[in-house]
């Protein structure tokens, strides 16, 4: 059954506040550093109960690999991702985009700017509600074009989908329940993620054997 051809539920926020904004961090992941990834995007229907939605990804990096952190001032609102939806030949497509600031004229900054245009990567961001989102996973991201003026403070670099994606940004789900933010903060470092998973497994197993 094609679950996208049927509406399953709505949204009611009349009695709840809405958390806005993003933590001012972007974690870029080189695709060649992926050891595995698993995407789940489906609706599970239960009789007489509300349907359960999944739109998520889990991934693991190769040993000794981690993401690349770009962090802007936490009092700013520079890092703001967005999605533009279009339809072509009755097929919905999505342009993923996000932006961040790059400063100074150091060699590291120049290498970063050059590799952003040539490398194959996707991006992870954290909404202030605690959800970690993944942008550009299918086809990658690249700069839209920019004018870099370090004398005026640098530039806002906007990344957009190299090719329009077939889905909205995926939510990252850890193998350890509730551990998404910790893994994001650790830049999805393989050893850190594996340590947390092993610790959770030991704790979980002990809770049923003690």
């Amino acid at each position: 059954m094609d679950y996208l051809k049927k509406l399953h539920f709505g949204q009611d926020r009349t009695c709840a506040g809405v958390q806005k904004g993003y933590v001012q961090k972007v974690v870029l992941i080189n695709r060649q550093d992926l050891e595995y990834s698993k995407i789940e995007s489906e609706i599970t229907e239960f009789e007489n109960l509300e349907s359960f939605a999944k739109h998520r990804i889990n991934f693991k990096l190769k040993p000794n690999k981690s993401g690349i952190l770009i962090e802007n001032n936490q009092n700013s609102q520079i890092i703001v991702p967005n999605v533009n939806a279009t339809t072509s030949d009755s097929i919905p497509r999505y342009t993923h985009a996000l932006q961040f600031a790059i400063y100074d004229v150091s060699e590291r900054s120049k290498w970063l700017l050059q590799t952003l245009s040539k490398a194959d990567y996707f991006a992870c961001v954290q909404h202030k509600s605690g959800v970690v989102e993944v942008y550009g996973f299918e086809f990658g991201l690249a700069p839209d074009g920019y004018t870099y003026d370090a004398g005026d403070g640098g530039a806002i670099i906007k990344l957009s989908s190299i090719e329009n994606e077939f889905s909205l940004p995926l939510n990252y789900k850890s193998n350890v329940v509730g551990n998404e933010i910790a893994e994001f903060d650790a830049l999805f470092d393989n050893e850190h993620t594996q340590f947390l998973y092993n610790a959770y497994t030991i704790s979980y197993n002990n809770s049923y054997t003690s």
Side-chain angles (χ1 to χ4, degrees):
M1 177 180 178
D2 189 341
Y3 290 106
L4 293 178
K5 293 185 177 179
K6 171 187 173 182
L7 296 174
H8 298 271
F9 33 69
Q11 185 183 80
D12 183 355
R13 292 289 183 181
T14 55
C15 296
V18 177
Q19 184 71 56
K20 298 180 180 179
Y22 283 79
V23 173
Q24 294 299 289
K25 295 180 181 180
V26 176
V27 179
L28 302 177
I29 307 289
N30 285 308
R31 195 177 305 278
Q32 64 185 19
D33 292 342
L34 281 176
E35 184 169 283
Y36 79 80
S37 62
K38 179 183 179 181
I39 293 174
E40 295 179 275
S41 187
E42 62 187 16
I43 293 286
T44 302
E45 293 187 312
F46 301 96
E47 187 175 357
N48 299 323
L49 294 173
E50 184 174 351
S51 301
F52 181 71
K54 290 183 179 180
H55 188 69
R56 61 182 62 174
I57 184 171
N58 173 261
F59 59 79
K60 180 182 178 182
L61 301 187
K62 296 175 182 176
N64 303 313
K65 299 297 182 181
S66 64
I68 306 296
L69 174 65
I70 296 176
E71 184 170 5
N72 290 163
N73 189 307
Q74 291 300 320
N75 293 323
S76 71
Q77 281 299 316
I78 296 172
I79 295 173
V80 182
N82 63 79
V83 180
N84 181 48
T86 57
T87 302
S88 178
D89 297 326
S90 299
I91 300 174
R93 300 292 296 271
Y94 305 92
T95 303
H96 296 192
L98 62 95
Q99 65 180 32
F100 48 79
I102 299 294
Y103 307 99
D104 74 46
V105 292
S106 69
E107 292 169 288
R108 289 174 65 91
S109 291
K110 290 175 181 177
W111 264 104
L112 173 58
L113 289 167
Q114 290 184 114
T115 53
L116 284 172
S117 297
K118 297 181 179 181
D120 180 14
Y121 56 91
F122 57 93
C124 302
V125 292
Q126 181 192 332
H127 191 264
K128 288 186 176 179
S129 64
V131 174
V132 175
E133 295 181 292
V134 180
Y135 281 69
F137 183 80
E138 291 178 276
F139 301 114
L141 302 164
D144 268 353
Y146 56 85
T147 298
Y148 194 79
D149 183 355
D152 193 37
I156 302 296
I157 307 299
K158 182 180 179 181
L159 304 179
S160 293
S161 299
I162 293 174
E163 184 176 335
N164 286 346
E165 309 259 329
F166 286 104
S167 75
L168 291 162
L170 295 154
N171 289 8
Y172 178 76
K173 288 295 181 182
S174 170
N175 284 323
V176 180
V177 177
N179 207 57
E180 292 80 18
I181 294 176
E183 293 182 22
F184 176 83
D185 288 340
L187 311 183
F188 303 97
D189 175 83
N190 174 281
E191 292 185 8
H192 178 83
T193 301
Q194 190 62 44
F195 171 78
L196 291 171
Y197 178 69
N198 289 342
Y200 171 80
T201 301
I202 293 170
S203 175
Y204 180 84
N205 289 340
N206 286 346
S207 68
Y208 285 91
T209 57
S210 58

